[in-house]
Amino acid sequence: MTQSGAHPCGPLATVVTRYYRNIDRRDVAAALACFAEDAIYRRPGYAAFVGLSAISEFYNGGRVISVGSHDLESIIEDTDTVAVRGNFHGTSHDGGPLAVRFADFWRFSGLVAVERDTYFDVAAV
């Protein structure tokens, strides 16, 4: 993960930043440690992943990304929410290049993520 400049890093932003660092290192177990057992993850093109086991199944077998890195442009933290905007560059499992702008919205209970919504900047229908 690269970062374009300094970001405000309160406790929730630190959890989220650690998630991206771990996922970029392909340490799925460490990355998913921030999710509650009953967390919900919504991602374009998929039904919502409900529960940590469903999120884990996606990352360990359903994700089209083989390897890549997140460049975080901005992180905004509120009481129980973190918003992230950035770019992702990587390679798919079939060897094709991937490059996309993204935004993530995380909601927390304490320091544990209970909800995450990802949006990609792709051509509209």
Side-chain angles (χ1 to χ4, degrees), residues 49-112:
F49 302 103
V50 179
L52 183 56
S53 63
I55 297 168
S56 180
E57 284 177 29
F58 167 71
Y59 276 96
N60 286 303
R63 190 171 183 236
V64 300
I65 297 166
S66 173
V67 64
S69 64
H70 294 82
D71 177 16
L72 307 182
E73 294 176 0
S74 64
I75 301 172
I76 301 169
E77 180 177 333
D78 198 3
T79 306
D80 68 348
T81 305
V82 175
V84 179
R85 182 183 66 207
N87 291 288
F88 175 82
H89 292 89
T91 306
S92 68
H93 287 291
D94 66 6
L98 299 170
V100 66
R101 289 185 53 73
F102 71 92
D104 272 331
F105 296 87
W106 299 72
R107 191 170 62 81
F108 287 83
S109 176
L111 293 176
V112 180

Side-chain angles (χ1 to χ4, degrees), residues 18-19 22 27-34:
R18 188 177 311 124
Y19 160 85
N22 286 325
D27 188 346
V28 174
L32 299 187
C34 68

Side-chain angles (χ1 to χ4, degrees), residues 4-54:
S4 303
H7 298 289
C9 279
L12 299 181
T14 300
V15 170
V16 169
T17 302
R18 188 177 311 124
Y19 160 85
Y20 292 108
R21 182 175 55 241
N22 286 325
I23 210 70
D24 289 350
R25 291 178 180 163
R26 296 192 275 179
D27 188 346
V28 174
L32 299 187
C34 68
F35 286 96
E37 283 295 323
D38 60 350
I40 299 171
Y41 178 32
R42 295 176 197 88
R43 182 181 181 98
Y46 300 89
F49 302 103
V50 179
L52 183 56
S53 63

